[in-house]
Amino acid sequence: MRPGAEDLVTEAPRGISRRVRPALRTYARLLLAGFRRGSRYRLAAFGGLVANATFGLLKVAVLFAVVEAAGGEVSGYDLGAMSAYIWISQGLLGSVNLMGRSDIAERIRTGDVTTDFLRPLDVQAAAVVEDVGKSLFALIPRGIPTVTIGLLLVGMDGPDGPFGLLLGAVSLLLGISVSCCTVYLVAVAGFWMVETRGLQILYMVVSGFLAGLFVPISLFPGWLYGVAVATPFPSMLQFPVDVLSGRADHGTSVLLIGVQAAWLAAVAALGQGLTRAGRRKLEVQGG
Amino acid sequence: MVDLAPYRAVLASRIRAQRSHRASFRLDLGSSVLVGFVELAEIAVLFLTVDRLGGLDLAAIVLVFGIADMSFSLADMVFGHCDNLPTYLKAGTLDVFYLRPQPLLAQLVTSDISLRRLARAAVGLAALVAGLVVNDVAWSLANAVLLVLAVVSGVVTFSAMFVWAGGMQFFLVDGYEATNAFVYGGRYAATQPASVWGRPLVVVFGFFFPMAFTAYLPTLTLLGLPGSDWLPGWLGWFAPVAAVWAWVLALASWRTGVRHYQGGGG
Amino acid sequence: MSTATQTVIETRGLGRDFRVREGMRRRTVVALDALDMRVEAGEAVGYIGANGAGKSTTIKMLCGILVPTRGEVLTCGHRPVPDRRRLAREIGVVFGQRSQLWWDLPTAESFRILAAVHGLDAAREKHRTGELVERLELDEFLTVPVRQLSLGQRMRAEVAAALLHSPRLLILDEPTIGLDVLSKQRLREFLVAERREHGTTLLLTTHDMGDVERLCDRVLLVDRGALVYSGTLAGLSRTVGAERVMVLDLAEPLPPLQVAGTTHRGSEGGTGGLGLRQRLAFDPAATTAAKVLAAVTEQLGAGNEVLDLAIEEPDVEDVVRRVYAARR
């Protein structure tokens, strides 16, 4: 056990409420820090927006052709719903991490993470919260403008009333959190693997496809759809898109949000367990 | 006569370096194959719901995908690291190229080679062969020439796209993702039936960045399909013209970019 | 060889502006105003000035990386931008922070590639590589990938890489920055020998007064984008009174030492005005470190001795600051 860590932990005030509130404030600050870090890359965000809009227009062409060829509706998607799917999913690309890369992965690889364990903060929560902050920021320069471009150039379905919008916001936040927590899992594998690049590439290849980035997962053949919903990936993109676009009615939306929350709990718990095991491994081997 | 020894020396060392990291190299090969299949699946899934899309059936689109993906992967293998230019610019590594007696672009292109793209090109080749088998191709000398011309022009056109993007990156630096819209967006466009595009897309990806000429139009010509008003089937023969145009664009962009860099924009 | 090519660097009214964006507005910053400089073949010239005085900008224009905004520049008789490729065969450059080596390859392989890049034939490559490896003592790490080299090793390898094609002009941008004393010493000795043997012209920028003293015949000082001094270092030191400081660690604390030809610059580590560590400033043109030390030793009582000593050299920044102060 590192002496420093023990000191810091015992210094924290006892009693649940006195302990939770300062911690919450710390995480809120980390969230804000992530948000601000995102704001430093304005030119990058612009580049991303151009890419999103271009891919969006190409997808409109081909997916609209599919809807029209299928007689105006395919797997419950008409033109309005398909447009919403395309533009919202493109808009979320800057926020939902489908690349599998993260700062914490680099810190674990270099061993810098040992200093993170000395801070009186939960390493997993701190890393995830900061990433969520960065992802939320990306909605401003990439998410909202992309959807606006789609709305102006093509038009699309929208959320089903104010309550639908609220459900959409909740689903979006859950989606971002699930993606940050899952990418965190890729990162903590670094406690046991010398090189996590392979895992990261696998994540990158599989996540986009199963999350419904390329085509809506309801267009998948039955068996592939089954594979997709057995993973957390649709919770990152497809479900938030369905809720936000109003394709899912309120009842279905609540159900989807429930599924997202369950996945969030699962990947977060797994991440917490792996973080503890990783920390024990570091302590045994002396970092 | 151009002395090729400097370029050969760099490339040989890059190839040795990649082959010496066997585990990593194998992983890269494997993931490249996987990415290729996922991208093919992405298109194939659409044909589960409809029989024809933009005048092409599944067999024809597999051929389009095969030509486009193989050409792109080969171009990516040789020119893909032009994408690293923003990193070179920020680290100042590009300045070192100025100290060597070869042209800058030639040095940049030969500074690396991504052998793993061969795996990706193999997926494209497999799709291409499958496409030739399942389609009713009326084999003739003309069609064989057309196919070879299409693949070669495709590689040349996609290579030009990487160089074009490189030139733009002198201005964009952090905003390099904007060029992805046209390089990787272009690759995506090249695998589509271009007849589904609206007028603006036809202008951008049909002619300005001649993506339709890399695979879609040659496939139409090869299969004797009619095409659309703006992109008629016989245009497939003009793939080499499109490749030349793409390089005009690329070199103009590169020259402007280098001027900007030397002018102190960097 | 014509007399024109005997001048290795010649600039006339050389200047460079940069446009910078501040929020919405664009502003023009003058990095170099109007520089007139001449460096003859075989000279060794220190090019010094504060950060932002225009040194890097000048070097980039000398190599053809930057286009001048105004004025003329000839490097080795070539116009750097249009004749960049021909010029590249005649100059070697080491940028402190930018490696010309391949970080994941062994040093030896980087040399082989560079030999091909510069079109050296096999005999010349073998001879020149052998010579540089021996002189710079590179053989101990020739097979180690560059990324694993220490800073001192890497810098030696960089210098060898820049000299592989036997350039007429060697430009070094901060070659000793971050190096330990021994590495600095080795590098300087090598450069002196290399110049003696091959007559290579040297232009170097540095913050280290020792580099200038041991390597350069002449100093060029730039301030606000223009040349303000050209001449010997001794002359420059005379104008600004550059001094060295001898730091002495004594066994027993003493009151401030009074030594002829030196100025006391403070004591530490003692009480009541006594000091264990004392600093004496002296002018190297007027006296030597040995004389100062001898005078100090004479003053020490029995049982006291100098345990350790160091000479602090004024850094170039310091000299520059004083010149600038005198000009304003």
Side-chain angles (χ1 to χ4, degrees), chain B residues 14 16 95 102 262-263, chain C residues 16 84 98 104 109 117:
Chain B
R14 293 328 307 164
R16 270 199 300 279
D95 290 356
Q102 280 85 30
Q262 286 182 316
Chain C
R16 173 73 225 192
R84 178 188 71 77
R98 333 193 147 171
D104 55 343
E109 191 155 350
V117 163

Side-chain angles (χ1 to χ4, degrees), chain B residues 214-239:
Chain B
T214 58
Y216 170 71
L217 288 170
T219 301
L220 289 188
T221 313
L222 200 64
L223 301 181
L225 296 171
S228 52
D229 287 352
W230 286 87
L231 297 165
W234 49 268
L235 264 182
W237 283 105
F238 286 80

Side-chain angles (χ1 to χ4, degrees), chain A residues 43-44 47-48 50-51 54-55 57-59 61-63 65-66 69-70 74 142 197-198 201-202 205 209 214-215 219 221, chain B residues 24 27-28 31 34-35 38 41-42 45-46 48-50 52-53 172 174-175 177-178 181 184-185 188-189 192 196-197 201 205:
Chain A
L43 205 54
V50 172
T54 311
F55 270 94
L57 288 170
L58 284 167
K59 295 186 78 162
V62 74
L63 289 177
V66 171
V74 59
R142 283 185 69 171
R197 206 171 57 96
I201 292 174
L202 188 68
V205 176
F209 190 60
F214 305 127
V215 282
L219 264 63
Chain B
S24 162
L27 175 72
D28 284 335
S31 60
L34 201 58
V35 171
V38 166
E42 183 189 331
V45 161
L46 298 179
L48 293 173
T49 47
V50 292
R52 293 182 83 78
L53 199 54
L172 294 165
D174 276 336
E177 241 194 294
Y184 297 94
Y188 180 60
Q192 288 186 349
V196 304
W197 295 345
L201 284 178
F205 288 115

Side-chain angles (χ1 to χ4, degrees), chain B residues 130-167:
Chain B
L132 290 176
V133 171
V134 295
N135 281 291
D136 243 348
V137 183
W139 281 113
S140 63
L141 180 66
N143 275 346
V145 170
L146 178 67
L147 184 65
V148 173
L149 217 53
V151 171
V152 172
S153 307
V155 175
V156 173
T157 305
F158 286 122
S159 303
M161 292 300 287
F162 283 108
V163 173
W164 170 82

Side-chain angles (χ1 to χ4, degrees), chain B residues 88-138:
Chain B
Y88 291 169
L89 289 174
K90 275 193 267 184
T93 333
L94 195 75
D95 290 356
V96 173
F97 287 170
Y98 275 88
L99 305 175
R100 299 183 187 146
Q102 280 85 30
L104 286 185
L105 181 57
Q107 284 189 59
L108 176 67
V109 170
T110 57
S111 67
D112 207 350
I113 183 166
S114 311
L115 289 181
R116 63 172 188 274
R117 307 274 183 230
L118 281 176
R120 189 62 201 284
V123 176
L125 180 65
L128 172 60
V129 171
L132 290 176
V133 171
V134 295
N135 281 291
D136 243 348
V137 183

